């Protein structure tokens, strides 16, 4: 099966109630890591799906694809499209440039039932008030977003503002031929990142102030502006072993912050 067909297989399996989203999510983690075996075969190997049920789903899949003139994407749209993929796989994967990748996983245990289904809700956002934030310039950027330095004019303090890169903000038009569009995946990942980080209260984790939407539909979230050098720069400044050893306390603080996140069942997958 192609990757698109594997995604549709997962959606059908969940919608037919032959497997739970949780079990599909666990299997998707194995599939996305290697992708050497079809998702359907891994489900059977894991004991989550019998061979008979696997064959039944594949027969139904082929029948539905034929109903849509062999177009796998049209078939997927008929079963819920991007949202169906996201919900069936419990947000565990992203499709970017026809590559299946693991999504950011983990929900903080805050003494209450996790609400993972609301982490990517783009309806529960603040609407930016005109004139509140002034942008001073770009500080850094990553795969889906960039960090801008600015000022909260209403409070009078410097802040950091993370926003999706301009070509990844919602504009109502498709930006990817894959079933799960790059735009939908980027928005979901961006919001999950902001909300999960915002629930982690630790001196070593930058606090989130606000998650918002601008008048043009672009998303952002604001954070505390942390002054100082990064750890890599400080290491390069060290002239000998003794100077490097003095930085151990900083490294220990970093490890404690990561350990705290782990204690809340959150894993940071981009540590450098």
């Amino acid at each position: 099966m192609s990757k698109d067909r594997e995604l549709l297989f997962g959606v059908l399996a969940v919608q037919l109630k032959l497997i739970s989203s949780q079990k599909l999510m666990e299997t998707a983690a194995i599939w996305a890591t290697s992708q050497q075996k079809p998702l359907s075969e891994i489900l059977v190997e894991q004991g989550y799906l019998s061979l008979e049920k696997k064959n039944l789903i594949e027969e139904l899949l082929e029948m539905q694809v034929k109903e849509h003139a062999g177009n796998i994407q049209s078939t997927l749209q008929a079963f819920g499209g991007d949202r169906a993929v996201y919900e069936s796989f419990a947000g565990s994967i992203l499709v970017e440039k026809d590559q299946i990748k693991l999504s950011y996983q983990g929900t903080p245990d805050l003494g209450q039932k996790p609400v993972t289904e609301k982490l990517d809700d783009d309806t529960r956002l603040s609407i930016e008030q005109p004139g509140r934030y002034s942008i001073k310039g770009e500080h850094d950027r990553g795969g889906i977003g960039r960090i801008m330095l600015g000022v909260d004019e209403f409070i009078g303090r410097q802040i950091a503002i993370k926003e999706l890169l301009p070509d990844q903000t919602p504009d109502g038009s498709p930006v990817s031929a894959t079933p799960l569009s790059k735009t939908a995946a980027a928005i979901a990942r961006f919001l999950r990142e902001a909300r999960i980080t915002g629930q982690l209260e630790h001196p070593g984790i930058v606090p989130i102030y606000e998650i918002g939407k601008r008048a043009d539909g672009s998303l952002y979230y604001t954070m505390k502006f942390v002054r100082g050098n990064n750890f890599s720069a400080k290491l390069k400044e060290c002239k000998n072993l003794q100077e490097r050893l003095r930085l151990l306390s900083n490294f220990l603080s970093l490890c404690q912050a990561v350990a705290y996140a782990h204690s809340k069942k959150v894993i940071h997958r981009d540590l450098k």
Side-chain angles (χ1 to χ4, degrees):
M1 284 191 185
S2 66
K3 291 183 178 64
D4 295 356
R5 284 177 177 267
E6 296 290 349
L7 293 174
L8 180 55
F9 182 95
V11 170
L12 286 173
V14 171
Q15 291 188 1
L16 291 170
K17 300 188 184 304
L18 297 177
I19 190 173
S20 67
S21 293
Q22 180 65 33
K23 289 181 178 178
L24 184 61
M25 178 184 72
E26 294 172 7
T27 308
I30 300 173
W31 176 54
T33 301
S34 64
Q35 295 182 38
Q36 294 178 349
K37 289 185 178 181
L39 173 67
S40 53
E41 288 187 13
I42 300 175
L43 283 167
V44 174
E45 291 177 356
Q46 293 293 110
Y48 292 153
L49 202 63
S50 68
L51 185 59
E52 291 76 15
K53 289 180 179 179
K54 168 184 172 292
N55 292 336
L56 173 62
I57 296 169
E58 288 179 344
E59 288 178 12
L60 290 172
L61 187 153
E62 292 301 328
M63 182 174 65
Q64 290 299 321
V65 171
K66 286 181 181 178
E67 289 288 329
H68 291 83
N71 190 316
I72 192 70
Q73 293 184 26
S74 295
T75 309
L76 184 57
Q77 288 302 316
F79 283 89
D82 295 353
R83 173 55 62 180
V85 172
Y86 189 82
E87 291 178 348
S88 297
F89 286 81
S92 61
I93 61 171
L94 297 174
V95 181
E96 297 179 352
K97 297 181 180 178
D98 204 30
Q99 293 295 312
I100 306 296
K101 299 181 180 180
L102 289 174
S103 178
Y104 186 67
Q105 285 299 306
T107 303
D109 180 6
L110 303 177
Q112 57 188 7
K113 184 178 179 180
V115 287
T116 53
E117 71 276 7
K118 295 182 180 180
L119 288 173
D120 64 329
D121 184 356
D122 61 1
T123 64
R124 300 179 302 129
L125 304 172
S126 300
I127 303 301
E128 183 182 21
Q129 298 183 50
R132 176 163 188 178
Y133 301 117
S134 59
I135 306 297
K136 302 303 179 183
E138 182 176 320
H139 176 67
D140 198 6
R141 66 170 57 201
I144 67 168
R146 61 183 178 182
I147 304 293
M148 310 298 289
L149 299 182
V151 175
D152 184 334
E153 301 291 353
F154 286 13
I155 298 178
R157 66 180 173 189
Q158 287 186 301
I159 57 170
I161 306 172
K162 185 165 185 177
E163 57 185 29
L164 282 170
L165 292 174
D167 60 346
Q168 293 179 327
T169 55
D171 60 4
S173 60
V175 296
S176 172
T178 57
L180 188 62
S181 71
K182 186 178 181 183
T183 295
I187 291 173
R189 181 177 173 185
F190 184 81
L191 292 174
R192 285 170 62 85
E193 173 187 286
R195 289 185 170 121
I196 289 175
T197 304
Q199 293 178 58
L200 297 176
E201 299 183 67
H202 187 277
I205 298 176
V206 179
I208 305 297
Y209 294 146
E210 178 193 32
I211 307 174
K213 179 184 290 187
R214 301 190 177 99
D216 62 2
S218 60
L219 307 180
Y220 68 91
Y221 64 86
T222 61
M223 304 170 281
K224 178 180 180 180
F225 174 63
V226 181
R227 297 170 177 79
N229 295 325
N230 61 44
F231 197 67
S232 177
K234 294 298 291 184
L235 280 172
K236 290 178 181 178
E237 293 175 1
C238 295
K239 299 177 181 178
N240 51 52
L241 176 61
Q242 291 301 317
E243 291 185 1
R244 290 197 293 274
L245 288 175
R246 293 193 190 103
L247 296 177
L248 278 177
S249 60
N250 300 89
F251 185 72
L252 178 60
S253 296
L254 183 153
C255 292
Q256 290 172 337
V258 173
Y260 167 78
H262 289 177
S263 74
K264 300 300 181 181
K265 297 181 174 60
V266 173
I267 297 177
H268 194 308
R269 300 190 303 106
D270 194 28
L271 288 175
K272 298 181 176 66

